[in-house]
Amino acid sequence: MPAKTSRRKAAASRPKVLAGTVFITRQVHFNAAHRLHNPAKSQKWNVAQYGLCTNPHWHGHNYVLEVTLSGQPDADTGYIMDLSALKRILQRAILDPCDHHNLNEEVAFLRGIIPSTENLVIAFWQQIAPYIKAPARLHRVRLFETPRNFAEYYGPGIAG
Amino acid sequence: MPAKTSRRKAAASRPKVLAGTVFITRQVHFNAAHRLHNPAKSQKWNVAQYGLCTNPHWHGHNYVLEVTLSGQPDADTGYIMDLSALKRILQRAILDPCDHHNLNEEVAFLRGIIPSTENLVIAFWQQIAPYIKAPARLHRVRLFETPRNFAEYYGPGIAG
Amino acid sequence: MPAKTSRRKAAASRPKVLAGTVFITRQVHFNAAHRLHNPAKSQKWNVAQYGLCTNPHWHGHNYVLEVTLSGQPDADTGYIMDLSALKRILQRAILDPCDHHNLNEEVAFLRGIIPSTENLVIAFWQQIAPYIKAPARLHRVRLFETPRNFAEYYGPGIAG
Amino acid sequence: MPAKTSRRKAAASRPKVLAGTVFITRQVHFNAAHRLHNPAKSQKWNVAQYGLCTNPHWHGHNYVLEVTLSGQPDADTGYIMDLSALKRILQRAILDPCDHHNLNEEVAFLRGIIPSTENLVIAFWQQIAPYIKAPARLHRVRLFETPRNFAEYYGPGIAG
Amino acid sequence: MPAKTSRRKAAASRPKVLAGTVFITRQVHFNAAHRLHNPAKSQKWNVAQYGLCTNPHWHGHNYVLEVTLSGQPDADTGYIMDLSALKRILQRAILDPCDHHNLNEEVAFLRGIIPSTENLVIAFWQQIAPYIKAPARLHRVRLFETPRNFAEYYGPGIAG
Amino acid sequence: MPAKTSRRKAAASRPKVLAGTVFITRQVHFNAAHRLHNPAKSQKWNVAQYGLCTNPHWHGHNYVLEVTLSGQPDADTGYIMDLSALKRILQRAILDPCDHHNLNEEVAFLRGIIPSTENLVIAFWQQIAPYIKAPARLHRVRLFETPRNFAEYYGPGIAG
């Protein structure tokens, strides 16, 4: 019976499903200006706290952003999420507003926030999270300010 | 009494033991061809899902594999496990079958599996785990497909 | 009433506080000589265990140390801890005693310890921890012996 | 006389020109499959020469391509050439035909060429050179097959 | 005769001199804000040339600077030049004026210069050259704007 | 005439030869102890010159060695030289004597030489050159002492 045969063949060629929670990361980068400055404090306080990082003429960084999702690989695709789709999300949520921009002056979702690496990972999480649809879950936002300094955030439910 | 003295001296020169759970990682690399393709689906579906990654003529990567063990440093050696021994395990379990090979066509333990980075870390865990003897434990398998994309797996008991 | 206005203005310019536990990492590096050697064991045992790593004439590494703190960003500074302050701590606690030194012979806090990467991360944690003041917490000490080998330690309370 | 003043002002604000020959490099990357195989030779010869690299099932790499131009910075722009324009050239000349493709089977300009890294840098030079317009000059094509192996080509007039 | 003996001994222990021209490089890094903008041209021209790089609110980079000297290793020290001394020169000549500063607004030696990577390597050469004393010679200034873009300058006498 | 046909066919399948001088590089690494010390000088002189680098208890590095050959790709193989063969040469000439050894005390070809990076690249060139057979030529020996410091040597005929 051909129908049965072809059904059997299709079953045979269906990919083997591997079960388990996997974490998948995509790295992107952007270049931005910023300064560390608390406008509620005196210039003297700011210089004592931040040194050169509070320079009113700005400085900047090649930021490297790594975003990690968790989930089970999909039975049909083997993907937690297509990383090209994640890249497009990061382009819209983070790179379009931040790349070649001034993090203190030009980014709506950072208004009023001191752009320390610590604050940036929380703010970036808040921007990215709404785009990540179940069953994928946003697991971690990691941001390198330089190759020697980075911050990581695992979401509001995690105590360090 | 010389015997006692020498026993005392030996005791003095015995290395100081540091207690604590440590995680130790070895990185290895291999070059392989692959494609993402679900044979139970149409070519149209595969192109829509995978784009160029489903190219029937293959593409490839310089994969970087990082394998992490956990355990207490051994009192005599200071090792969780000799990383040269771990390297030999990875050579046999992963590099010999995968390096300069085609992950879809030539690797017995990947037969029928879509070689997404997600699926590879689960499959690699299954290959490596039997070689890791207590008290060392396999903690994490991390695989970089490119310097910008990587997957991590912490074993079957971990929910993300 | 100007006073009220200015009070309102000050309130308006107070930075927005982002709540959440963030992990912040600083990387430093040092160059040192060492060998792996258990003085309570025979030379034959040492060679069998350690191979070239027990060479009595020493070898050495460009060690890369990454120290991670956790905490809530401070409302006034946006910092878990000023990373320049952390760098100064690491200079005093680790780099001054270890950089361009012999880890077996010259470092008081490593006396009697086999300087495997595993033992070093525990010993480094013990040196660094007293300097980290609440609300910041020491979260992880990661040490790269080479770009291909590294160890991580999360403190005495963590089982792997 | 306002006309004169404004001419003087324009002159004052014209950027200072720095003279000198500068070399400017753009890095791009692509992932491809290939094998080393001389079809005019026996299988035995190919295995003796190439070992696993001649595997008929292919293997692959994350290629990193660095293209260097030389020239004088333009007085108006400060550029030898806009690196975004160079990136578009490399996209069209190299990445579109090569990325996620099979270098032996699918790339018209590599037909009949053994895709060793040596041959690739010559072939890539030939593809890129027609796009580089004077006064910019193509200076070097560097291709990393892996982070540990790379080839460089400086054009037909250069003897090593 | 002890004098003769000791002279012979001193001669024996004098280090062996290796002759040859060697190139020695020191890498340093700094973080700065900048924008590409030609004030003699219209805003429209600037946007057409520079795109986001002309953003009046600035952007920034983690610049990596590599400075190469050439010379013969000194018979007594084995050095072309002590790289710690070169590091101090780079600190004074480049890092003090540029690090955490705005390259367009705050750096005296860059006044009126469009801070393209091309122009920066020429300007940096001019700053560094006076500090390099014969027999060492300044050979190359290389500046990475990002890990994917860099410029190199070999001095006024070199045609590309 | 089958003979002619098959000759024509063989000609057709002979690989296309690309002419040009190409530079090909292989990177290897080793870990070693050393110190900078001129035994003909006083301890005071050595400390003034070398600082911590003259520490009599040694320090060490993860050395990264990059060796570049030049030549024309061979018509049959597409290779200047098989990089696996170059790797074996480097293993015998440099890694076997230097890896996990003390560069001052244990390496015959470095006897009496101050192991500065400058001197090491000349000494390594002398060790490697005899193994490189025409038509391949040894072009450059580059040695990273750390990721931030490196020396390059182009052979005895090159003035900087």
Side-chain angles (χ1 to χ4, degrees):
Chain A
M1 268 131 13
K4 198 175 168 187
T5 306
S6 100
R7 229 179 305 130
R8 231 192 268 137
K9 190 172 172 289
S13 65
R14 205 165 287 155
K16 224 169 106 184
V17 178
L18 296 178
T21 297
V22 176
F23 298 80
I24 186 93
T25 298
R26 171 79 205 184
Q27 186 192 84
V28 295
H29 45 84
F30 64 94
N31 313 314
H34 84 151
R35 68 182 289 218
L36 300 179
H37 178 72
N38 183 334
K41 301 284 186 174
S42 68
Q43 176 63 3
K44 198 177 152 187
W45 182 95
N46 276 284
V47 168
Q49 283 298 322
Y50 297 125
L52 277 170
C53 296
T54 198
N55 177 2
H57 293 284
W58 317 101
H59 65 282
H61 297 289
N62 301 331
Y63 286 98
V64 176
L65 174 64
E66 291 187 351
V67 173
T68 303
L69 309 181
S70 69
Q72 298 257 352
D74 180 80
D76 282 338
T77 63
Y79 280 163
I80 305 299
M81 184 187 189
D82 181 355
L83 288 183
S84 304
L86 177 57
K87 196 185 169 188
R88 282 191 300 273
I89 289 172
L90 299 179
Q91 183 69 42
R92 204 170 353 146
I94 308 296
L95 302 196
D96 284 347
C98 295
D99 187 31
H100 283 77
H101 284 292
N102 184 310
L103 302 183
N104 302 63
E105 302 271 309
E106 299 187 285
V107 182
F109 71 81
L110 295 175
R111 191 135 304 156
I113 292 170
I114 299 170
S116 65
T117 323
E118 288 92 325
N119 278 340
L120 289 176
V121 286
I122 301 179
F124 286 2
W125 175 287
Q126 291 169 354
Q127 290 306 110
I128 298 163
Y131 290 98
I132 307 304
K133 302 303 180 201
R137 286 182 297 283
L138 181 57
H139 174 68
R140 182 179 60 206
V141 171
R142 182 191 282 158
L143 183 69
F144 290 82
E145 190 182 70
T146 75
R148 289 160 295 283
N149 292 352
F150 61 91
E152 296 167 295
Y153 184 55
Y154 292 81
I158 306 295
Chain B
M1 267 132 12
K4 196 173 166 189
T5 307
S6 101
R7 229 180 306 132
R8 229 191 269 135
K9 190 172 170 291
S13 66
R14 205 166 289 156
K16 224 169 107 184
V17 178
L18 296 179
T21 298
V22 175
F23 299 80
I24 186 93
T25 299
R26 171 79 204 183
Q27 186 190 85
V28 296
H29 45 85
F30 64 94
N31 312 314
H34 84 151
R35 67 183 290 218
L36 300 179
H37 178 71
N38 184 333
K41 301 283 185 175
S42 68
Q43 176 64 2
K44 198 177 152 186
W45 182 94
N46 277 284
V47 169
Q49 283 299 320
Y50 295 125
L52 277 169
C53 296
T54 199
N55 177 3
H57 293 284
W58 318 101
H59 65 284
H61 297 289
N62 300 330
Y63 286 98
V64 176
L65 174 64
E66 291 186 353
V67 173
T68 302
L69 308 181
S70 69
Q72 299 257 352
D74 179 80
D76 282 337
T77 63
Y79 280 163
I80 305 300
M81 185 188 188
D82 181 354
L83 289 183
S84 304
L86 177 56
K87 194 185 170 186
R88 280 191 300 272
I89 289 172
L90 299 179
Q91 182 69 43
R92 205 171 351 147
I94 308 296
L95 302 196
D96 284 347
C98 295
D99 187 30
H100 283 76
H101 284 293
N102 184 310
L103 302 183
N104 302 61
E105 302 272 309
E106 298 187 286
V107 183
F109 72 81
L110 296 175
R111 192 134 305 157
I113 292 170
I114 300 171
S116 66
T117 324
E118 289 93 326
N119 278 340
L120 290 176
V121 287
I122 301 179
F124 286 2
W125 174 287
Q126 292 169 354
Q127 291 306 111
I128 298 164
Y131 291 97
I132 308 303
K133 303 302 181 201
R137 285 182 297 281
L138 181 56
H139 174 68
R140 182 179 59 206
V141 171
R142 183 191 281 158
L143 183 69
F144 290 82
E145 190 183 72
T146 75
R148 289 160 294 283
N149 291 354
F150 61 91
E152 296 166 297
Y153 183 56
Y154 292 82
I158 306 295
Chain C
M1 266 131 14
K4 197 176 168 188
T5 307
S6 101
R7 228 179 308 129
R8 230 191 270 136
K9 187 171 171 297
S13 66
R14 204 166 291 154
K16 224 168 105 184
V17 178
L18 295 179
T21 297
V22 175
F23 299 80
I24 186 93
T25 299
R26 171 79 204 182
Q27 185 190 87
V28 296
H29 45 85
F30 64 94
N31 313 314
H34 84 150
R35 68 183 287 220
L36 300 179
H37 179 71
N38 183 334
K41 300 283 186 175
S42 68
Q43 177 63 3
K44 199 177 151 186
W45 182 95
N46 277 284
V47 168
Q49 283 298 321
Y50 296 125
L52 277 170
C53 297
T54 198
N55 176 3
H57 293 284
W58 318 100
H59 65 284
H61 297 289
N62 301 330
Y63 286 98
V64 175
L65 174 64
E66 291 187 351
V67 173
T68 302
L69 308 181
S70 69
Q72 300 257 351
D74 179 80
D76 283 337
T77 64
Y79 280 163
I80 306 298
M81 185 186 188
D82 180 354
L83 288 183
S84 305
L86 177 56
K87 195 184 169 187
R88 282 192 299 273
I89 289 172
L90 299 179
Q91 182 70 42
R92 205 171 351 146
I94 308 295
L95 303 195
D96 284 348
C98 295
D99 187 31
H100 282 77
H101 283 292
N102 184 310
L103 302 183
N104 302 62
E105 302 271 309
E106 298 187 287
V107 182
F109 71 82
L110 296 175
R111 191 135 305 155
I113 293 170
I114 300 170
S116 66
T117 324
E118 289 92 325
N119 278 340
L120 290 176
V121 287
I122 301 179
F124 286 3
W125 174 287
Q126 292 169 354
Q127 290 307 111
I128 298 164
Y131 291 98
I132 308 303
K133 303 302 181 202
R137 285 182 298 282
L138 181 56
H139 173 67
R140 182 180 59 206
V141 170
R142 181 192 282 159
L143 183 69
F144 290 81
E145 190 183 70
T146 75
R148 290 160 295 284
N149 292 352
F150 62 92
E152 296 166 296
Y153 183 56
Y154 292 82
I158 306 295
Chain D
M1 266 131 17
K4 197 174 166 189
T5 307
S6 100
R7 229 180 307 129
R8 228 191 275 136
K9 188 172 172 293
S13 65
R14 204 166 290 154
K16 224 168 107 184
V17 177
L18 296 179
T21 297
V22 176
F23 298 80
I24 186 91
T25 299
R26 172 78 205 183
Q27 185 191 87
V28 296
H29 45 85
F30 64 94
N31 313 316
H34 85 149
R35 67 183 289 219
L36 300 179
H37 178 70
N38 184 333
K41 300 283 186 176
S42 67
Q43 176 64 4
K44 199 177 151 186
W45 183 95
N46 276 284
V47 168
Q49 284 298 323
Y50 297 125
L52 277 170
C53 296
T54 198
N55 177 4
H57 293 285
W58 317 101
H59 65 283
H61 297 290
N62 301 330
Y63 286 99
V64 176
L65 174 64
E66 291 187 351
V67 173
T68 302
L69 309 181
S70 69
Q72 298 258 353
D74 180 80
D76 283 337
T77 62
Y79 280 162
I80 306 298
M81 185 188 188
D82 181 354
L83 289 182
S84 304
L86 178 56
K87 195 185 170 187
R88 281 191 300 272
I89 288 172
L90 299 179
Q91 182 70 42
R92 206 172 348 148
I94 308 297
L95 303 196
D96 284 348
C98 295
D99 187 30
H100 282 78
H101 283 294
N102 184 310
L103 302 183
N104 302 62
E105 303 271 309
E106 298 187 287
V107 182
F109 71 82
L110 296 175
R111 191 135 307 156
I113 292 170
I114 300 171
S116 66
T117 324
E118 289 93 325
N119 278 339
L120 290 176
V121 286
I122 301 179
F124 286 3
W125 174 288
Q126 292 170 352
Q127 290 308 109
I128 298 164
Y131 291 98
I132 308 303
K133 302 303 180 200
R137 285 181 299 282
L138 182 56
H139 173 69
R140 183 180 58 207
V141 170
R142 183 190 281 158
L143 183 69
F144 289 82
E145 190 181 72
T146 75
R148 289 159 294 284
N149 292 352
F150 62 92
E152 296 166 297
Y153 183 56
Y154 292 81
I158 306 294
Chain E
M1 266 133 16
K4 199 176 167 189
T5 307
S6 99
R7 228 180 305 131
R8 230 191 272 137
K9 189 173 170 289
S13 65
R14 205 166 289 154
K16 223 169 107 185
V17 177
L18 295 178
T21 298
V22 175
F23 298 81
I24 186 93
T25 299
R26 172 78 205 184
Q27 185 191 86
V28 296
H29 45 84
F30 64 94
N31 313 315
H34 84 150
R35 67 183 289 218
L36 300 179
H37 178 72
N38 184 335
K41 300 284 185 175
S42 67
Q43 176 64 4
K44 198 178 152 185
W45 182 95
N46 276 285
V47 168
Q49 283 300 322
Y50 296 125
L52 277 169
C53 296
T54 198
N55 176 2
H57 292 285
W58 317 100
H59 65 283
H61 297 290
N62 301 331
Y63 286 97
V64 175
L65 173 65
E66 290 186 353
V67 174
T68 303
L69 308 181
S70 69
Q72 298 258 351
D74 180 80
D76 282 338
T77 63
Y79 280 163
I80 307 298
M81 185 187 188
D82 180 354
L83 289 183
S84 305
L86 177 56
K87 195 185 169 187
R88 283 191 299 273
I89 289 173
L90 299 179
Q91 181 70 42
R92 206 172 349 147
I94 308 296
L95 303 196
D96 284 348
C98 295
D99 187 31
H100 282 77
H101 283 293
N102 184 310
L103 302 184
N104 302 61
E105 303 270 309
E106 297 186 287
V107 182
F109 71 82
L110 295 176
R111 190 135 306 156
I113 292 171
I114 300 170
S116 66
T117 324
E118 288 93 326
N119 279 339
L120 290 176
V121 285
I122 300 179
F124 286 2
W125 175 287
Q126 292 169 353
Q127 290 307 110
I128 297 163
Y131 291 98
I132 308 303
K133 303 303 181 199
R137 287 182 296 283
L138 182 55
H139 173 69
R140 183 180 59 206
V141 171
R142 183 191 280 159
L143 183 68
F144 290 82
E145 191 181 72
T146 75
R148 289 159 295 283
N149 292 351
F150 61 92
E152 295 167 296
Y153 183 56
Y154 292 81
I158 306 294
Chain F
M1 269 128 18
K4 199 175 166 189
T5 307
S6 99
R7 229 180 305 129
R8 228 191 271 137
K9 189 173 171 290
S13 65
R14 205 166 288 153
K16 223 168 109 184
V17 178
L18 295 179
T21 297
V22 175
F23 298 80
I24 186 92
T25 299
R26 172 79 205 183
Q27 186 191 86
V28 296
H29 44 82
F30 63 94
N31 313 315
H34 84 151
R35 67 182 289 218
L36 300 179
H37 178 71
N38 184 334
K41 301 283 186 176
S42 68
Q43 175 64 3
K44 198 177 152 186
W45 183 94
N46 276 285
V47 168
Q49 283 298 321
Y50 296 125
L52 277 170
C53 297
T54 198
N55 176 2
H57 293 286
W58 318 101
H59 66 284
H61 297 289
N62 301 331
Y63 286 97
V64 176
L65 173 64
E66 291 186 353
V67 174
T68 302
L69 309 181
S70 69
Q72 299 256 352
D74 179 80
D76 283 337
T77 63
Y79 280 162
I80 306 299
M81 185 188 189
D82 181 355
L83 289 182
S84 304
L86 177 56
K87 195 185 170 187
R88 281 192 299 273
I89 289 173
L90 300 179
Q91 182 70 41
R92 205 171 351 146
I94 308 296
L95 303 196
D96 284 348
C98 295
D99 187 31
H100 282 75
H101 284 293
N102 184 310
L103 302 183
N104 303 61
E105 303 271 308
E106 298 186 286
V107 182
F109 71 82
L110 296 175
R111 191 135 306 155
I113 293 171
I114 300 170
S116 66
T117 324
E118 289 93 325
N119 278 340
L120 290 176
V121 286
I122 300 179
F124 286 2
W125 174 287
Q126 292 169 352
Q127 290 307 110
I128 298 164
Y131 291 98
I132 308 302
K133 302 304 180 200
R137 286 182 297 283
L138 181 57
H139 173 68
R140 183 180 58 207
V141 171
R142 183 190 280 158
L143 183 68
F144 290 81
E145 191 181 72
T146 75
R148 289 159 295 283
N149 291 353
F150 62 92
E152 295 165 298
Y153 183 56
Y154 292 82
I158 306 294

